[in-house]
Every structure is written in structure tokens, then in C-alpha cells.
Amino acid sequence: MAASLGSKACALSRTTSDQEGRNAIMIEVSTRPPAVAGMFYPASKPALAHTVESLFADAAPLRGAASVPKALIVPHAGYMYSGPIAASAYACLAPVRATIRRVILLGPSHYVALHGLAVPLAAAFSTPLGSVPVDQELVQRVSQLRQVVSRDE
């Protein structure tokens, strides 16, 4: 199967069931193309790198933070709307960035109604700054939960 993402397409994986009826995902996709590059953030690598560097340089330090947070709740609108706030939140992770092993991103489904949680079918997400791998072991583990579906829409 192929899913159209604007003018780009990527193949999707199939979901199978194991003997207990749990979902087992067979990954057939290498990389999911960017869905909104050029609309909510710059599409070119140099422009996006400059934007991110500027946002971090201008990030307001968090006051009163006694320790590094275990979780962040950060807006994800276009950089022109939420970039300064998001950069301020992520900047507080700078002292420990070398020790961060896993990032779990939770976000809303903008286009498809679903009950529960969705995990990506792709093995990586392409961005203008490079490819971001998806933790396939974690995807397999959470796919065993009945409220989890697999989709890239």
C-alpha cells in the first residue's frame, strides 16, 4: 500500500496478529517524509538550522527549576507561533542532553479520528535537519496494548 503525503509517498506496513491476538507490526517503511515542512517551519536545512539556533539563543531561562524535568509539555504549533516557548522548554534539557536515551512524543491526531493511541509505521521520520529514528523495540512493545493502533496518517 502507499499513502499519499502531499506530493510524496511512502509505503505502509502491514499489521499482523500473534497467537494471542495481539498486534505485531512488520515494518516495511524506511522513512516517513515531512508532512508540513515549509508550512509551519522552514523546509531547507540551512533556514531551519538558523531558525532553531535563533530560538535557542533567545530562549528565556526557566526560573525556579531546581532539577531537570522528567517530562515536558510543549506546544507544537508553527515555529512562528510557539517556537520561543518550545525552545525555552527544551533549553532546560541542555545540561543533560548527552544522557537522554529516549524521547517519547505524544501528540494529537490532526486528520484521523481514533480511539486510543497510534504508533508510527515508519522506521524513521525525515526532517530538513536529517532523519530521526523510531525506537522499533518500543513500538513492538506498546503495540501489544489493545488501545494502540499502527498508522502514519
Side-chain angles (χ1 to χ4, degrees), residues 16-102:
T16 60
S17 296
D18 64 12
Q19 292 176 350
E20 287 83 35
R22 296 178 300 213
N23 287 339
I25 299 173
M26 300 180 335
I27 301 297
E28 296 175 4
V29 176
S30 59
T31 303
R32 182 181 188 272
V36 295
M39 294 190 300
F40 296 104
Y41 56 88
S44 78
K45 183 176 183 172
L48 181 54
H50 175 73
T51 298
V52 171
E53 288 168 8
S54 295
L55 288 167
F56 276 113
D58 296 340
L62 296 177
R63 295 183 188 151
S67 62
V68 176
K70 297 256 185 220
L72 295 174
I73 299 174
V74 180
H76 75 285
Y79 286 18
M80 67 285 268
Y81 305 113
S82 65
I85 297 299
S88 293
Y90 291 121
C92 73
L93 298 176
V96 294
R97 72 176 171 207
T99 65
I100 296 172
R101 296 180 323 225
R102 178 179 286 147

Side-chain angles (χ1 to χ4, degrees), residues 1 9 27 29 37 63 68 70 85-86 94 98-99 103-105 112 114 116 120 126 136 138 143-144 149:
M1 316 182 210
I27 301 297
V29 176
R63 295 183 188 151
V68 176
K70 297 256 185 220
I85 297 299
T99 65
V103 173
I104 298 174
L105 175 65
V112 178
L114 61 94
S126 177
Q136 297 303 312
L138 183 60
S143 294
Q144 305 304 308
V149 296

